[in-house]
Amino acid sequence: MRFFSKLILAIILSTSGTAIVYAYTAARHTDGNPHSIYSIPEPQILFRKRIWREMYLREKENKPFFAHQKEITRHIIAGVRSGALIPYTDDTLETQMPVDQFFENLSIPQEGGLSEEERALGFVEDTGWGDGHTSQKRGSLSPEYFAPNEVTTLELIEDVVFDKLRSQLVYDIQAIKLIIPAEKFTTGLSKTVGTFRYKDLATYFDAHPGEAVWVNVHNNAGNIKLTEAFELRLFGSRIVKVENPDDATIEDIYNKTPEEALFASQKFEEDLIELQYFLWEN
C-alpha cells in the first residue's frame, strides 16, 4: 500500500514539474517573433525554414480569393485607405511605408500628368476612388490607380516550422506582399505596391467576416473567412525562394531556362512534404 502511495506521489510531482517547465517556455516565447501568429515556444522548434511563395490570383485554383468585387486585394487596399492596415517597405517588417507612398506605388504611370507648379497649387488628378481629398481637382484624367483586380499577384513569406512536441509541420505566414505584374508596365518589370504583416491582415479579415471571404464557386453557402482559407491551405502557389546565405531566388540559382526553375520549385515542394514524414529520422 505504501508503495502505491509513493508511486502516485511521484507521478503528481512529475506532472507538476512538466507543467511548470511548459509554462516557463511558453512565457519565454512572448519575447520571441512578434510577427508570428502561432505560439510555439522556441524549445519545441526542431526545424525552421523561411519560404517565399508567389500566388497568382487569376489561376483557377485561386479564383475563390479573387471573386468579382470580393478580391482579397480590394480588401487590403480598402484597409490601407481606412487606416486600419499599415503597409511596410519590405518583408523584414521593420520600416512602415507612408500611405502616400503606397498609393503612389499603386498609381498608373502616365504621360502629361500634373506639373510641379500645379501640384504646388494643390491640384490633384481625378482618381475616381473617392479617397476623401478636398484639394481642387483638375479636369478629368484617366483613372490614376490600378484597380484591385489588376493587382494579380501575392507573395507569401512564411516560416515552415516543425513542432516536435506535436510532431507537426506548421506553415506560419509572416507577411503578404501585393505585386502588380510585369505585363502592366512597358519596362517589363513587376512592381511591389506594399508589404503587410499577416498578423494584421488576419485581424482585419476576421473583423469583416461578411466581406473578406473565400468564395466557394460551387456553393455560396460554403463561403468561409479568408483566414480559414489560408489556415486550410486552399490556395495554389509556387516557391520562388528558399532561405539561403546568398538571398538568391530559385530563378537566380537555376537561371538557364524557366523550365529548370519551375522543376526546382516543384522539387522544393516535394522535399517539404517528405520532411514532414522523415524529419525524426534525420
Coordinates of all heavy atoms in Angstrom, one line a residue, residues 196-272:
F196 N 2.6 43.6 -46.1 CA 1.7 43.6 -44.9 C 2.1 42.5 -43.9 O 2.3 41.4 -44.4 CB 0.3 43.6 -45.3 CG -0.2 44.8 -46.1 CD1 0.0 44.7 -47.5 CD2 -0.7 45.9 -45.5 CE1 -0.4 45.8 -48.2 CE2 -1.1 47.0 -46.3 CZ -0.9 47.0 -47.6
R197 N 2.0 42.8 -42.7 CA 2.2 41.7 -41.7 C 0.9 40.9 -41.7 O -0.2 41.4 -41.5 CB 2.4 42.4 -40.3 CG 2.9 41.4 -39.2 CD 3.3 42.1 -38.0 NE 2.2 42.6 -37.2 CZ 2.1 42.7 -35.9 NH1 3.2 42.3 -35.2 NH2 1.1 43.2 -35.3
Y198 N 1.1 39.6 -41.8 CA -0.1 38.7 -41.9 C -0.9 38.8 -40.6 O -2.1 38.6 -40.7 CB 0.3 37.3 -42.2 CG -0.9 36.4 -42.3 CD1 -1.8 36.5 -43.4 CD2 -1.1 35.4 -41.3 CE1 -2.9 35.7 -43.5 CE2 -2.3 34.6 -41.4 CZ -3.1 34.7 -42.5 OH -4.3 34.0 -42.5
K199 N -0.3 38.9 -39.5 CA -1.0 39.0 -38.2 C -2.0 40.2 -38.3 O -3.1 40.1 -37.8 CB 0.0 39.2 -37.1 CG -0.5 38.9 -35.7 CD 0.6 38.9 -34.7 CE 0.2 38.4 -33.4 NZ 1.3 38.4 -32.4
D200 N -1.6 41.3 -38.9 CA -2.5 42.4 -39.0 C -3.6 42.1 -40.0 O -4.8 42.5 -39.8 CB -1.7 43.7 -39.5 CG -0.7 44.2 -38.5 OD1 -0.9 43.8 -37.3 OD2 0.2 44.9 -38.9
L201 N -3.3 41.5 -41.1 CA -4.3 41.1 -42.1 C -5.3 40.2 -41.5 O -6.5 40.3 -41.8 CB -3.6 40.5 -43.3 CG -2.7 41.4 -44.2 CD1 -2.1 40.6 -45.3 CD2 -3.6 42.5 -44.8
A202 N -4.9 39.2 -40.7 CA -5.8 38.2 -40.2 C -6.8 38.9 -39.2 O -8.0 38.6 -39.2 CB -5.0 37.1 -39.4
T203 N -6.3 39.9 -38.4 CA -7.2 40.6 -37.6 C -8.2 41.4 -38.4 O -9.4 41.5 -38.0 CB -6.4 41.6 -36.7 OG1 -5.5 40.8 -35.9 CG2 -7.3 42.4 -35.7
Y204 N -7.7 42.0 -39.4 CA -8.6 42.9 -40.3 C -9.6 42.0 -41.0 O -10.8 42.3 -41.1 CB -7.8 43.6 -41.3 CG -8.6 44.5 -42.2 CD1 -9.1 45.7 -41.8 CD2 -8.8 44.1 -43.5 CE1 -9.9 46.5 -42.6 CE2 -9.6 45.0 -44.4 CZ -10.1 46.2 -43.9 OH -10.9 46.9 -44.7
F205 N -9.2 40.9 -41.6 CA -10.1 40.0 -42.3 C -11.2 39.4 -41.3 O -12.4 39.4 -41.6 CB -9.4 38.8 -42.9 CG -8.5 39.2 -44.0 CD1 -7.4 38.4 -44.3 CD2 -8.7 40.3 -44.8 CE1 -6.5 38.7 -45.4 CE2 -7.8 40.7 -45.8 CZ -6.8 39.9 -46.1
D206 N -10.8 39.0 -40.1 CA -11.8 38.5 -39.1 C -12.7 39.5 -38.7 O -13.8 39.2 -38.2 CB -11.0 37.9 -37.9 CG -10.3 36.6 -38.3 OD1 -10.7 36.0 -39.3 OD2 -9.5 36.1 -37.5
A207 N -12.3 40.8 -38.7 CA -13.2 41.9 -38.3 C -14.3 42.2 -39.4 O -15.2 43.0 -39.1 CB -12.4 43.2 -38.0
H208 N -14.1 41.6 -40.6 CA -15.1 41.8 -41.7 C -15.5 40.5 -42.3 O -15.2 40.2 -43.4 CB -14.4 42.7 -42.8 CG -14.0 44.1 -42.3 ND1 -12.8 44.3 -41.6 CD2 -14.6 45.3 -42.5 CE1 -12.7 45.6 -41.4 NE2 -13.8 46.2 -41.8
P209 N -16.1 39.7 -41.4 CA -16.4 38.3 -41.9 C -17.4 38.2 -43.0 O -17.4 37.2 -43.7 CB -17.0 37.6 -40.6 CG -17.5 38.8 -39.8 CD -16.6 39.9 -40.1
G210 N -18.2 39.2 -43.2 CA -19.2 39.1 -44.3 C -18.7 39.6 -45.6 O -19.3 39.4 -46.7
E211 N -17.5 40.2 -45.6 CA -16.9 40.8 -46.8 C -15.6 40.1 -47.2 O -15.5 39.7 -48.4 CB -16.6 42.3 -46.6 CG -17.8 43.1 -46.2 CD -17.5 44.5 -45.8 OE1 -16.3 44.9 -45.9 OE2 -18.4 45.2 -45.2
A212 N -14.7 39.9 -46.3 CA -13.4 39.3 -46.6 C -13.6 37.7 -46.5 O -13.3 37.1 -45.5 CB -12.4 39.7 -45.6
V213 N -14.1 37.2 -47.6 CA -14.4 35.8 -47.6 C -13.8 35.1 -48.8 O -13.4 35.7 -49.8 CB -16.0 35.5 -47.7 CG1 -16.6 36.0 -46.5 CG2 -16.6 36.2 -49.0
W214 N -13.5 33.8 -48.6 CA -13.1 32.9 -49.7 C -14.4 32.4 -50.3 O -15.2 31.7 -49.6 CB -12.3 31.7 -49.1 CG -11.8 30.7 -50.0 CD1 -10.6 30.7 -50.7 CD2 -12.5 29.4 -50.3 NE1 -10.5 29.5 -51.4 CE2 -11.6 28.8 -51.2 CE3 -13.7 28.9 -49.9 CZ2 -12.0 27.5 -51.7 CZ3 -14.1 27.7 -50.5 CH2 -13.2 27.0 -51.4
V215 N -14.6 32.6 -51.6 CA -15.9 32.4 -52.2 C -15.9 30.9 -52.8 O -15.1 30.6 -53.6 CB -16.2 33.4 -53.3 CG1 -17.5 33.0 -54.0 CG2 -16.2 34.8 -52.8
N216 N -16.8 30.1 -52.3 CA -16.9 28.8 -52.8 C -17.7 28.9 -54.2 O -18.9 29.2 -54.2 CB -17.8 27.9 -51.9 CG -17.8 26.5 -52.2 OD1 -17.9 26.1 -53.4 ND2 -17.6 25.6 -51.3
V217 N -17.0 28.6 -55.3 CA -17.5 28.8 -56.6 C -18.6 27.9 -56.9 O -19.4 28.1 -57.9 CB -16.4 28.8 -57.7 CG1 -15.4 29.9 -57.5 CG2 -15.7 27.4 -57.6
H218 N -18.8 26.8 -56.2 CA -19.8 25.8 -56.4 C -21.0 25.9 -55.5 O -22.1 25.4 -55.8 CB -19.2 24.4 -56.3 CG -18.1 24.1 -57.3 ND1 -18.2 24.1 -58.6 CD2 -16.7 24.0 -57.0 CE1 -17.1 23.9 -59.2 NE2 -16.1 23.8 -58.2
N219 N -20.8 26.6 -54.3 CA -21.8 26.6 -53.3 C -21.6 27.9 -52.4 O -20.7 27.9 -51.6 CB -21.8 25.4 -52.5 CG -22.8 25.4 -51.4 OD1 -23.8 26.2 -51.3 ND2 -22.7 24.5 -50.4
N220 N -22.5 28.9 -52.6 CA -22.3 30.1 -51.8 C -22.5 29.9 -50.4 O -21.9 30.7 -49.5 CB -23.3 31.2 -52.3 CG -22.9 31.8 -53.6 OD1 -21.7 31.7 -54.0 ND2 -23.8 32.4 -54.4
A221 N -23.2 28.9 -50.0 CA -23.3 28.6 -48.6 C -22.0 28.0 -48.0 O -21.9 27.9 -46.8 CB -24.5 27.5 -48.4
G222 N -21.1 27.7 -48.8 CA -19.8 27.2 -48.4 C -18.7 28.2 -48.3 O -17.5 27.9 -48.1
N223 N -19.1 29.5 -48.4 CA -18.1 30.5 -48.2 C -17.5 30.5 -46.8 O -18.2 30.3 -45.9 CB -18.7 31.9 -48.5 CG -19.1 32.1 -50.0 OD1 -18.8 31.3 -50.8 ND2 -19.8 33.2 -50.2
I224 N -16.2 30.8 -46.7 CA -15.5 30.8 -45.4 C -14.7 32.0 -45.3 O -14.4 32.7 -46.3 CB -14.7 29.5 -45.2 CG1 -13.6 29.4 -46.2 CG2 -15.6 28.3 -45.1 CD1 -12.6 28.3 -46.0
K225 N -14.2 32.3 -44.1 CA -13.4 33.5 -43.9 C -12.0 33.3 -44.6 O -11.5 32.2 -44.7 CB -13.1 33.7 -42.4 CG -14.4 34.1 -41.6 CD -14.1 34.5 -40.2 CE -13.4 33.4 -39.4 NZ -13.2 33.8 -38.0
L226 N -11.4 34.4 -45.0 CA -10.1 34.3 -45.7 C -9.1 33.7 -44.8 O -8.2 32.9 -45.2 CB -9.7 35.7 -46.1 CG -10.3 36.3 -47.3 CD1 -9.9 37.7 -47.6 CD2 -10.0 35.5 -48.6
T227 N -9.1 34.0 -43.5 CA -8.1 33.4 -42.6 C -8.3 31.9 -42.5 O -7.3 31.2 -42.4 CB -8.3 34.0 -41.2 OG1 -9.7 34.0 -40.8 CG2 -7.8 35.5 -41.1
E228 N -9.5 31.4 -42.6 CA -9.7 30.0 -42.6 C -9.2 29.3 -43.8 O -8.6 28.2 -43.8 CB -11.2 29.6 -42.4 CG -11.8 30.0 -41.0 CD -13.3 29.7 -40.9 OE1 -13.8 29.3 -41.9 OE2 -13.9 30.0 -39.9
A229 N -9.4 30.0 -45.0 CA -8.9 29.5 -46.2 C -7.3 29.4 -46.2 O -6.8 28.4 -46.7 CB -9.3 30.4 -47.4
F230 N -6.7 30.4 -45.6 CA -5.2 30.3 -45.5 C -4.8 29.2 -44.6 O -3.8 28.5 -44.8 CB -4.6 31.7 -45.1 CG -4.5 32.7 -46.2 CD1 -5.3 33.8 -46.2 CD2 -3.6 32.5 -47.2 CE1 -5.1 34.7 -47.2 CE2 -3.5 33.4 -48.3 CZ -4.2 34.5 -48.3
E231 N -5.5 29.1 -43.5 CA -5.2 28.0 -42.5 C -5.4 26.6 -43.1 O -4.6 25.8 -42.9 CB -6.2 28.2 -41.3 CG -6.0 27.1 -40.2 CD -4.8 27.4 -39.4 OE1 -4.3 28.6 -39.3 OE2 -4.3 26.5 -38.7
L232 N -6.4 26.5 -44.0 CA -6.6 25.2 -44.6 C -5.7 25.0 -45.9 O -5.9 24.0 -46.6 CB -8.1 25.0 -45.0 CG -9.0 25.0 -43.8 CD1 -10.5 25.1 -44.3 CD2 -8.8 23.7 -43.0
R233 N -5.0 26.0 -46.2 CA -4.1 26.0 -47.4 C -4.9 25.8 -48.7 O -4.5 25.0 -49.6 CB -3.0 24.9 -47.3 CG -2.3 24.9 -46.0 CD -1.3 26.0 -45.8 NE -0.2 25.9 -46.7 CZ 0.8 26.8 -46.7 NH1 0.7 27.9 -46.0 NH2 1.8 26.7 -47.5
L234 N -6.0 26.5 -48.9 CA -6.8 26.4 -50.0 C -6.4 27.3 -51.1 O -7.2 28.0 -51.8 CB -8.3 26.7 -49.7 CG -8.9 25.8 -48.6 CD1 -10.3 26.3 -48.3 CD2 -8.9 24.3 -49.0
F235 N -5.1 27.3 -51.4 CA -4.5 28.2 -52.4 C -3.4 27.4 -53.2 O -2.8 26.5 -52.6 CB -4.0 29.5 -51.9 CG -2.9 29.4 -50.8 CD1 -1.6 29.2 -51.2 CD2 -3.2 29.3 -49.5 CE1 -0.6 29.1 -50.3 CE2 -2.2 29.2 -48.5 CZ -0.9 29.1 -48.9
G236 N -3.2 27.9 -54.4 CA -2.1 27.4 -55.2 C -1.0 28.4 -55.2 O -1.2 29.6 -55.3
S237 N 0.3 27.9 -55.1 CA 1.4 28.9 -55.1 C 2.6 28.2 -55.7 O 2.6 26.9 -55.8 CB 1.6 29.4 -53.7 OG 2.0 28.3 -52.9
R238 N 3.6 29.0 -55.9 CA 4.9 28.4 -56.4 C 6.0 29.0 -55.6 O 6.1 30.2 -55.3 CB 5.1 28.8 -57.9 CG 6.5 28.5 -58.5 CD 6.6 29.0 -59.9 NE 8.0 28.9 -60.3 CZ 8.4 29.4 -61.5 NH1 7.6 30.0 -62.3 NH2 9.7 29.3 -61.8
I239 N 6.9 28.1 -55.1 CA 8.0 28.6 -54.3 C 9.0 29.3 -55.2 O 9.4 28.8 -56.2 CB 8.7 27.4 -53.6 CG1 7.8 26.7 -52.6 CG2 10.0 27.8 -52.9 CD1 8.3 25.5 -51.9
V240 N 9.3 30.5 -54.8 CA 10.3 31.3 -55.6 C 11.6 31.6 -54.9 O 12.6 31.9 -55.5 CB 9.6 32.7 -56.0 CG1 8.5 32.5 -56.9 CG2 9.2 33.5 -54.8
K241 N 11.6 31.3 -53.6 CA 12.9 31.5 -52.9 C 12.8 30.7 -51.6 O 11.8 30.6 -50.9 CB 13.2 33.0 -52.6 CG 14.5 33.2 -51.9 CD 14.9 34.7 -51.9 CE 14.1 35.4 -50.8 NZ 14.7 36.8 -50.7
V242 N 13.9 30.1 -51.3 CA 14.1 29.4 -50.0 C 15.3 30.0 -49.3 O 16.3 30.4 -49.9 CB 14.4 27.9 -50.2 CG1 14.6 27.2 -48.9 CG2 13.2 27.2 -51.0
E243 N 15.1 30.2 -48.0 CA 16.2 30.9 -47.2 C 17.6 30.3 -47.5 O 17.8 29.1 -47.5 CB 15.9 30.8 -45.8 CG 16.8 31.5 -44.8 CD 16.4 31.3 -43.4 OE1 15.4 30.6 -43.1 OE2 17.0 32.0 -42.5
N244 N 18.5 31.2 -47.9 CA 19.9 30.8 -48.2 C 20.8 31.9 -48.0 O 20.4 33.1 -47.9 CB 19.9 30.3 -49.7 CG 19.7 31.4 -50.7 OD1 20.6 32.2 -51.1 ND2 18.4 31.6 -51.1
P245 N 22.1 31.6 -47.8 CA 23.1 32.6 -47.4 C 23.2 33.8 -48.4 O 23.5 34.9 -48.0 CB 24.4 31.9 -47.3 CG 24.0 30.4 -47.0 CD 22.7 30.3 -47.8
D246 N 23.0 33.5 -49.7 CA 23.2 34.5 -50.7 C 21.9 35.3 -51.0 O 21.9 36.2 -51.8 CB 23.6 33.8 -52.0 CG 25.0 33.2 -51.9 OD1 25.8 33.8 -51.2 OD2 25.2 32.1 -52.5
D247 N 20.8 34.9 -50.3 CA 19.5 35.5 -50.5 C 19.1 35.4 -52.0 O 18.5 36.4 -52.6 CB 19.5 36.9 -50.0 CG 18.0 37.5 -49.9 OD1 17.2 36.7 -49.5 OD2 17.8 38.7 -50.2
A248 N 19.4 34.3 -52.7 CA 19.2 34.2 -54.1 C 17.8 33.5 -54.3 O 17.5 32.6 -53.6 CB 20.3 33.4 -54.7
T249 N 17.1 33.9 -55.3 CA 15.9 33.3 -55.7 C 16.2 32.0 -56.4 O 17.3 31.7 -56.9 CB 15.0 34.2 -56.6 OG1 15.7 34.4 -57.8 CG2 14.8 35.5 -55.9
I250 N 15.1 31.2 -56.6 CA 15.3 29.9 -57.3 C 15.7 30.2 -58.8 O 16.5 29.6 -59.4 CB 14.0 29.1 -57.3 CG1 13.8 28.5 -55.8 CG2 14.1 27.9 -58.3 CD1 12.6 27.8 -55.6
E251 N 15.1 31.3 -59.3 CA 15.4 31.7 -60.7 C 16.8 32.2 -60.8 O 17.5 31.9 -61.8 CB 14.4 32.8 -61.1 CG 14.5 33.2 -62.6 CD 13.5 34.2 -63.0 OE1 12.5 34.5 -62.2 OE2 13.6 34.8 -64.1
D252 N 17.4 32.8 -59.8 CA 18.8 33.2 -59.8 C 19.7 32.0 -59.8 O 20.7 32.0 -60.5 CB 19.1 34.1 -58.6 CG 18.5 35.4 -58.7 OD1 18.2 35.9 -59.8 OD2 18.2 36.0 -57.6
I253 N 19.3 31.0 -59.1 CA 20.2 29.8 -59.0 C 20.1 28.9 -60.2 O 21.0 28.4 -60.7 CB 19.8 29.0 -57.7 CG1 20.0 29.8 -56.4 CG2 20.6 27.7 -57.6 CD1 19.4 29.2 -55.2
Y254 N 18.8 28.8 -60.7 CA 18.6 27.9 -61.9 C 18.2 28.9 -63.0 O 17.0 28.9 -63.4 CB 17.5 26.9 -61.6 CG 17.8 26.0 -60.4 CD1 17.4 26.3 -59.1 CD2 18.5 24.8 -60.6 CE1 17.7 25.5 -58.1 CE2 18.8 24.0 -59.6 CZ 18.4 24.3 -58.3 OH 18.7 23.5 -57.2
N255 N 19.1 29.6 -63.5 CA 18.8 30.7 -64.5 C 19.0 30.3 -65.9 O 19.1 31.1 -66.8 CB 19.6 31.9 -64.2 CG 21.1 31.7 -64.2 OD1 21.6 30.5 -64.4 ND2 21.9 32.7 -63.9
K256 N 19.2 29.0 -66.2 CA 19.4 28.6 -67.6 C 18.1 28.6 -68.4 O 18.1 29.2 -69.5 CB 20.0 27.1 -67.6 CG 21.4 27.0 -67.0 CD 21.9 25.6 -67.1 CE 23.3 25.5 -66.5 NZ 23.9 24.2 -66.6
T257 N 17.1 28.1 -67.9 CA 15.8 28.1 -68.5 C 14.7 28.2 -67.5 O 14.8 27.8 -66.4 CB 15.5 26.8 -69.4 OG1 15.4 25.7 -68.5 CG2 16.6 26.6 -70.4
P258 N 13.5 28.8 -67.9 CA 12.4 28.9 -66.9 C 11.9 27.5 -66.5 O 11.4 27.4 -65.4 CB 11.3 29.7 -67.8 CG 12.1 30.4 -68.8 CD 13.2 29.6 -69.1
E259 N 12.0 26.6 -67.4 CA 11.6 25.2 -67.1 C 12.4 24.6 -65.9 O 11.9 24.0 -65.0 CB 11.7 24.3 -68.3 CG 10.7 24.6 -69.4 CD 11.1 25.8 -70.2 OE1 12.2 26.3 -70.1 OE2 10.3 26.2 -71.1
E260 N 13.7 24.9 -65.9 CA 14.5 24.4 -64.8 C 14.2 25.0 -63.5 O 14.2 24.4 -62.4 CB 16.0 24.6 -65.1 CG 16.6 23.7 -66.2 CD 18.1 24.0 -66.4 OE1 18.6 25.0 -65.9 OE2 18.7 23.1 -67.1
A261 N 13.9 26.3 -63.5 CA 13.4 27.0 -62.3 C 12.1 26.4 -61.8 O 11.9 26.2 -60.6 CB 13.3 28.5 -62.5
L262 N 11.2 26.1 -62.7 CA 9.9 25.5 -62.3 C 10.1 24.2 -61.7 O 9.5 23.8 -60.7 CB 9.0 25.5 -63.5 CG 7.6 24.8 -63.3 CD1 6.8 25.6 -62.2 CD2 6.8 24.7 -64.6
F263 N 10.9 23.3 -62.3 CA 11.2 22.0 -61.8 C 11.9 22.1 -60.4 O 11.5 21.3 -59.6 CB 12.1 21.2 -62.8 CG 11.4 20.9 -64.1 CD1 12.1 20.7 -65.3 CD2 10.0 20.7 -64.1 CE1 11.5 20.4 -66.5 CE2 9.4 20.4 -65.3 CZ 10.1 20.2 -66.5
A264 N 12.8 23.0 -60.3 CA 13.4 23.2 -59.0 C 12.4 23.6 -57.9 O 12.5 23.1 -56.8 CB 14.5 24.2 -59.1
S265 N 11.5 24.5 -58.3 CA 10.4 24.9 -57.3 C 9.6 23.7 -56.9 O 9.3 23.5 -55.7 CB 9.6 26.0 -58.0 OG 8.5 26.3 -57.1
Q266 N 9.2 22.9 -57.9 CA 8.4 21.7 -57.6 C 9.2 20.7 -56.7 O 8.6 20.1 -55.8 CB 8.0 21.0 -58.9 CG 7.0 21.9 -59.7 CD 6.7 21.3 -61.0 OE1 7.5 20.5 -61.5 NE2 5.6 21.8 -61.7
K267 N 10.5 20.6 -56.9 CA 11.3 19.7 -56.1 C 11.4 20.2 -54.6 O 11.3 19.4 -53.7 CB 12.7 19.7 -56.7 CG 13.7 18.8 -55.9 CD 13.3 17.3 -56.0 CE 14.3 16.4 -55.5 NZ 14.8 16.6 -54.1
F268 N 11.5 21.5 -54.4 CA 11.4 22.0 -53.1 C 10.1 21.7 -52.4 O 10.1 21.4 -51.2 CB 11.7 23.6 -53.1 CG 13.1 24.0 -53.2 CD1 13.5 24.7 -54.3 CD2 14.0 23.6 -52.2 CE1 14.9 25.1 -54.4 CE2 15.3 24.0 -52.3 CZ 15.8 24.8 -53.4
E269 N 9.0 21.8 -53.1 CA 7.7 21.5 -52.6 C 7.6 20.0 -52.2 O 7.1 19.7 -51.1 CB 6.6 21.8 -53.6 CG 5.2 21.9 -53.0 CD 5.0 23.2 -52.3 OE1 5.0 24.3 -52.9 OE2 4.8 23.1 -51.0
E270 N 8.2 19.2 -53.0 CA 8.2 17.7 -52.7 C 9.1 17.4 -51.5 O 8.7 16.6 -50.6 CB 8.7 16.9 -53.9 CG 7.7 17.0 -55.1 CD 8.4 16.4 -56.3 OE1 9.6 15.9 -56.2 OE2 7.7 16.3 -57.4
D271 N 10.2 18.2 -51.4 CA 11.1 18.0 -50.2 C 10.4 18.4 -48.9 O 10.6 17.7 -47.9 CB 12.4 18.8 -50.4 CG 13.2 18.3 -51.5 OD1 13.0 17.1 -51.9 OD2 14.1 19.0 -52.0
L272 N 9.6 19.4 -48.9 CA 8.8 19.8 -47.7 C 7.9 18.7 -47.3 O 7.7 18.5 -46.1 CB 8.1 21.1 -48.0 CG 8.9 22.4 -48.0 CD1 8.0 23.6 -48.3 CD2 9.5 22.6 -46.6

